[in-house]
Each structure stands twice: as structure tokens, then as C-alpha cells.
Amino acid sequence: KEVYIMKINFGCGEHKLPGFIGVDKVKTKAADVIHDMNCMPYPFADDSVDEILMSHILEHLPDTISVMEEIWRISKNNARITIIVPYYNSVGAFQDPTHVRFFTERTFDYFSLDNDSEFSKWNYYSKARFKIISVNPVQKKILSFLPRRIQWFLAHHFSTIHHLKYEL
């Protein structure tokens, strides 16, 4: 019996990834499904998606809570979710006039499992509950050799992180 694995690249733009269904609000060569992520519900069944990639799209969407609840709704149990967003104090976060949301290393704590992270005590704003696997800063490689607490200190005070990669 063949098992179908559904992988979605939300906000795919022109980037077609092998094995992924490309979703964008604009028709491109990479977009298999045309859908505006501000419009709920998304055109996918509950518990139907195995993997989701959202690279540089979430910062363009005004209702982060509703988007994360839709991602939660369509994701299978143990689905892999990768989210890449500009870091809140990076130049890239503010230079694009279409960016409406900003993200830190703690943003997704508000969508984490109960008692799973420092800020999960405030997860009652949403019914979405994700296991945070990792939060990785994307920065100059030389900084990656420093202890993590030093990396975050430099990021907060000297804007050294370009963007964040979350694995949920």
C-alpha cells in the first residue's frame, strides 16, 4: 500500500521544491495552489499535512495567531514545521515595507506545549500547540562558534542575526 506524504511550501514565490506543493497568492511557475494565507480556512483537510515550510512569509501576514492555528489544524501529529523569518532587529525585518510582524527567539513559546518553554504559560491565546525542536539564528558563520548566550546577547545589542529558523 503506497503512503502519500504531503509537504507544503507556503509562500513559495518562484521557488519550486521537489516533493512540495507550492502555495502562493500569486500564480507563479512554482505555485500549485493559489491561495491568500490571510483567508481562512486554508484549502487543506484537517490532519493532512506531513511537512510545512514557511520561508519569509509569516512576517507579511498580519494575524500570526490565526495563521498558526491553521497550520496546527492541517498538520498531522508529529508533522515537521520549518519557519524562517527575519530577526526582529535585523535590517531585513524593517527594510521591506510589506513586513507587518516581527519575531524573536521566544515568539513561538506562545504556541508551545504547556510547561514546555518559558512563555508557554501564556499559550492560552491560541489552541495551537507545537513542540519547539529548535530555534537557530542565521548569522555570520564566525559567530556560530560562540556560546549560544553570547550569540543572543550580540543579536540583541548589535543586530548580528539576519533571520531565525524555527523547527516545530
Side-chain angles (χ1 to χ4, degrees), residues 75-100:
S75 296
K76 289 181 180 176
N77 190 23
N78 294 319
R80 180 181 199 93
I81 316 295
T82 302
I83 299 172
I84 302 169
V85 290
Y87 194 52
Y88 82 98
N89 70 352
S90 69
V91 172
F94 288 96
Q95 75 184 10
D96 187 335
T98 65
H99 289 180
V100 296

Side-chain angles (χ1 to χ4, degrees), residues 43-59:
F44 301 98
D46 294 2
D47 303 312
S48 63
V49 182
D50 298 279
E51 185 173 348
I52 293 174
L53 172 62
M54 297 173 63
S55 181
H56 295 284
I57 182 65
L58 196 53
E59 65 272 17

Side-chain angles (χ1 to χ4, degrees), residues 35 53 121:
H35 184 78
L53 172 62
K121 61 187 166 195

